[in-house]
Tab-separated table of all heavy atoms in Angstrom:
chain	number	residue	atom	x	y	z
O	276	LEU	N	-23.687	5.349	-13.053
O	276	LEU	CA	-22.640	5.579	-12.069
O	276	LEU	C	-22.891	6.890	-11.271
O	276	LEU	O	-21.927	7.383	-10.657
O	276	LEU	CB	-21.323	5.669	-12.780
O	276	LEU	CG	-20.714	4.328	-13.474
O	276	LEU	CD1	-19.402	4.664	-14.114
O	276	LEU	CD2	-20.483	3.334	-12.225
O	277	SER	N	-24.099	7.376	-11.239
O	277	SER	CA	-24.367	8.674	-10.604
O	277	SER	C	-24.108	8.567	-9.086
O	277	SER	O	-23.579	9.459	-8.454
O	277	SER	CB	-25.820	9.049	-10.861
O	277	SER	OG	-26.738	8.109	-10.384
O	278	ASN	N	-24.450	7.391	-8.464
O	278	ASN	CA	-24.207	7.211	-7.083
O	278	ASN	C	-22.740	7.236	-6.755
O	278	ASN	O	-22.319	7.905	-5.773
O	278	ASN	CB	-24.803	5.871	-6.580
O	278	ASN	CG	-24.808	5.772	-5.064
O	278	ASN	OD1	-25.299	6.622	-4.353
O	278	ASN	ND2	-24.201	4.706	-4.621
O	279	TRP	N	-21.971	6.611	-7.589
O	279	TRP	CA	-20.469	6.647	-7.405
O	279	TRP	C	-19.943	8.040	-7.618
O	279	TRP	O	-19.054	8.514	-6.835
O	279	TRP	CB	-19.852	5.732	-8.475
O	279	TRP	CG	-18.357	5.477	-8.502
O	279	TRP	CD1	-17.434	6.187	-9.202
O	279	TRP	CD2	-17.605	4.514	-7.737
O	279	TRP	NE1	-16.141	5.759	-8.927
O	279	TRP	CE2	-16.264	4.705	-8.067
O	279	TRP	CE3	-17.988	3.515	-6.839
O	279	TRP	CZ2	-15.263	3.892	-7.499
O	279	TRP	CZ3	-16.991	2.722	-6.258
O	279	TRP	CH2	-15.689	2.964	-6.603
O	280	GLU	N	-20.482	8.774	-8.528
O	280	GLU	CA	-19.971	10.122	-8.826
O	280	GLU	C	-20.381	11.053	-7.634
O	280	GLU	O	-19.532	11.892	-7.269
O	280	GLU	CB	-20.592	10.651	-10.140
O	280	GLU	CG	-20.049	9.966	-11.403
O	280	GLU	CD	-20.573	10.530	-12.694
O	280	GLU	OE1	-19.957	11.568	-13.156
O	280	GLU	OE2	-21.589	10.034	-13.220
O	281	ASN	N	-21.619	10.894	-7.164
O	281	ASN	CA	-22.029	11.765	-6.073
O	281	ASN	C	-21.403	11.512	-4.736
O	281	ASN	O	-21.053	12.388	-4.038
O	281	ASN	CB	-23.635	11.750	-5.903
O	281	ASN	CG	-24.280	12.296	-7.192
O	281	ASN	OD1	-23.792	13.245	-7.808
O	281	ASN	ND2	-25.457	11.828	-7.476
O	282	LYS	N	-21.367	10.211	-4.420
O	282	LYS	CA	-20.889	9.794	-3.104
O	282	LYS	C	-19.298	9.742	-2.948
O	282	LYS	O	-18.775	9.925	-1.899
O	282	LYS	CB	-21.414	8.397	-2.697
O	282	LYS	CG	-22.779	8.383	-2.401
O	282	LYS	CD	-23.287	7.043	-1.825
O	282	LYS	CE	-22.769	6.701	-0.479
O	282	LYS	NZ	-23.232	5.470	0.055
O	283	VAL	N	-18.679	9.616	-4.114
O	283	VAL	CA	-17.213	9.479	-4.080
O	283	VAL	C	-16.477	10.644	-4.785
O	283	VAL	O	-15.801	11.326	-4.125
O	283	VAL	CB	-16.733	8.122	-4.779
O	283	VAL	CG1	-15.255	7.977	-4.766
O	283	VAL	CG2	-17.353	6.925	-4.019
O	284	LEU	N	-16.718	10.819	-6.068
O	284	LEU	CA	-15.945	11.776	-6.885
O	284	LEU	C	-16.197	13.191	-6.433
O	284	LEU	O	-15.229	13.963	-6.291
O	284	LEU	CB	-16.169	11.565	-8.328
O	284	LEU	CG	-15.858	10.167	-8.917
O	284	LEU	CD1	-15.988	10.152	-10.384
O	284	LEU	CD2	-14.455	9.715	-8.476
O	285	LYS	N	-17.405	13.571	-6.235
O	285	LYS	CA	-17.728	14.920	-5.831
O	285	LYS	C	-17.078	15.309	-4.573
O	285	LYS	O	-16.573	16.456	-4.406
O	285	LYS	CB	-19.228	15.192	-5.851
O	285	LYS	CG	-19.875	15.361	-7.269
O	285	LYS	CD	-21.317	15.753	-7.179
O	285	LYS	CE	-21.912	15.818	-8.586
O	285	LYS	NZ	-23.363	16.211	-8.540
O	286	ARG	N	-17.132	14.404	-3.606
O	286	ARG	CA	-16.584	14.633	-2.251
O	286	ARG	C	-15.044	14.745	-2.377
O	286	ARG	O	-14.388	15.536	-1.668
O	286	ARG	CB	-17.028	13.585	-1.292
O	286	ARG	CG	-18.510	13.675	-0.917
O	286	ARG	CD	-18.830	12.711	0.187
O	286	ARG	NE	-20.306	12.742	0.426
O	286	ARG	CZ	-20.817	12.059	1.492
O	286	ARG	NH1	-20.082	11.381	2.345
O	286	ARG	NH2	-22.132	12.168	1.760
O	287	LEU	N	-14.470	13.861	-3.220
O	287	LEU	CA	-13.011	13.933	-3.439
O	287	LEU	C	-12.625	15.337	-3.961
O	287	LEU	O	-11.580	15.877	-3.616
O	287	LEU	CB	-12.609	12.798	-4.302
O	287	LEU	CG	-12.265	11.439	-3.707
O	287	LEU	CD1	-12.001	10.399	-4.813
O	287	LEU	CD2	-11.010	11.525	-2.752
O	288	LYS	N	-13.364	15.716	-4.882
O	288	LYS	CA	-12.950	16.982	-5.657
O	288	LYS	C	-13.258	18.214	-4.852
O	288	LYS	O	-12.429	19.209	-4.997
O	288	LYS	CB	-13.695	16.992	-7.024
O	288	LYS	CG	-13.197	16.027	-7.896
O	288	LYS	CD	-13.981	16.074	-9.293
O	288	LYS	CE	-13.536	14.997	-10.295
O	288	LYS	NZ	-14.357	15.012	-11.563
O	289	HIS	N	-14.304	18.217	-4.150
O	289	HIS	CA	-14.806	19.479	-3.528
O	289	HIS	C	-14.512	19.642	-2.019
O	289	HIS	O	-14.718	20.713	-1.500
O	289	HIS	CB	-16.234	19.651	-3.723
O	289	HIS	CG	-16.633	19.683	-5.190
O	289	HIS	ND1	-16.113	20.587	-6.117
O	289	HIS	CD2	-17.502	18.929	-5.933
O	289	HIS	CE1	-16.648	20.332	-7.321
O	289	HIS	NE2	-17.467	19.337	-7.203
O	290	SER	N	-13.956	18.656	-1.435
O	290	SER	CA	-13.564	18.774	0.011
O	290	SER	C	-12.370	19.660	0.137
O	290	SER	O	-11.361	19.569	-0.633
O	290	SER	CB	-13.280	17.404	0.572
O	290	SER	OG	-14.339	16.554	0.568
O	291	THR	N	-12.420	20.592	1.122
O	291	THR	CA	-11.294	21.567	1.255
O	291	THR	C	-10.490	21.485	2.622
O	291	THR	O	-9.358	21.720	2.673
O	291	THR	CB	-11.804	23.020	1.133
O	291	THR	OG1	-12.914	23.168	2.056
O	291	THR	CG2	-12.318	23.220	-0.335
O	292	LYS	N	-11.248	21.136	3.660
O	292	LYS	CA	-10.678	21.042	4.930
O	292	LYS	C	-9.640	19.879	5.025
O	292	LYS	O	-9.971	18.716	4.778
O	292	LYS	CB	-11.652	20.737	6.056
O	292	LYS	CG	-11.116	20.688	7.423
O	292	LYS	CD	-12.173	20.406	8.483
O	292	LYS	CE	-11.551	20.229	9.869
O	292	LYS	NZ	-12.518	20.011	10.958
O	293	GLN	N	-8.414	20.166	5.311
O	293	GLN	CA	-7.359	19.178	5.339
O	293	GLN	C	-7.204	18.496	6.725
O	293	GLN	O	-7.237	19.170	7.698
O	293	GLN	CB	-6.024	19.753	4.929
O	293	GLN	CG	-5.972	20.222	3.446
O	293	GLN	CD	-4.576	20.677	3.007
O	293	GLN	OE1	-3.681	20.878	3.851
O	293	GLN	NE2	-4.367	20.738	1.722
O	294	VAL	N	-6.999	17.167	6.699
O	294	VAL	CA	-6.783	16.466	7.917
O	294	VAL	C	-5.495	15.601	7.760
O	294	VAL	O	-5.472	14.697	7.010
O	294	VAL	CB	-7.997	15.459	8.248
O	294	VAL	CG1	-7.667	14.659	9.509
O	294	VAL	CG2	-9.310	16.242	8.311
O	295	PRO	N	-4.420	16.092	8.486
O	295	PRO	CA	-3.194	15.460	8.397
O	295	PRO	C	-3.123	14.137	9.258
O	295	PRO	O	-3.288	14.236	10.451
O	295	PRO	CB	-2.148	16.410	8.760
O	295	PRO	CG	-2.868	17.340	9.662
O	295	PRO	CD	-4.294	17.369	9.271
Side-chain angles (χ1 to χ4, degrees):
L276 288 177
S277 59
N278 188 54
W279 184 267
E280 291 184 85
N281 291 329
K282 288 186 71 175
V283 179
L284 300 188
K285 283 186 178 179
R286 292 187 181 186
L287 272 174
K288 289 178 181 178
H289 301 303
S290 299
T291 55
K292 180 182 178 180
Q293 293 190 344
V294 178

